[in-house]
Amino acid sequence: MTPKGNIFLFPCPIFEGKTDSLSVEAVKWLHQTTTFVVERAKTARHFIKSTHHPIPIAQLQILEISDDKKELDTFLQALHDGINIGVISEAGCPGVADPGAEVVAWAHRHTIKVVPFVGPSSILLALMASGFNGQNFAFNGYLSNKKPDLITQLKALEQKVQKTGQTQIFMETPYRNAFIIETCLDTLNEQTRLCIACDINAPDEDIRQMRVVEWKKAIKGEYHKRPCIYLIGK
């Protein structure tokens, strides 16, 4: 009986081209993998090529995670033939705020071994650098893009921090940074602590944590169209 293949979860650099943020073990197994399920094929090919994969990109099998569940299911059947499949996110760790979780769930349902590799996660790196509670925290994904709902959500997150000490983490698309920052500063108590972790792992990385009253005096326009993670804590 042919042993089943494994699902390998390969982190992708947060900052394009920064392959040194990956573990040696991850790159070693990436180079031994020829079949991939990815969030976006173009990004994945560029990433795989940047690691100097020994096999030409054109000879690799790459399928995007899409709405076509039947195609994905057929593709994953290769695991039953002993072929390993790598999962790659658009950036960071597969399965964390990422559709790769669907593939991992499929693997568990079919008793396929899942192997995660060490790599950069903007969420954890931001938490590490924030100075906030790292033993009790919650990632809330994207908040509402409608201001009344966003205000309600921010107040609820702030109350959780005040009552439990649980760090609250969320993200936003880069082009809405001004909107999210302005709403945070208008909504949160002036003594509440806010951390903005910007361009994590990039040469111009900027991670700052201060009270809202101090943020109101800081330059805020510099975050326009730059990827950020936001944290509320104490």
Side-chain angles (χ1 to χ4, degrees), residues 95-108:
V96 181
D98 172 76
E102 297 176 25
V103 181
V104 176
W106 186 98
H108 286 302

Side-chain angles (χ1 to χ4, degrees), residues 7 11 15 41 57 90 115 117 159 187 194 228:
I7 283 286
F15 180 71
I57 298 299
E90 182 72 359
V115 183
F117 289 102
Q159 288 176 0
T187 303
L194 173 69
C228 295

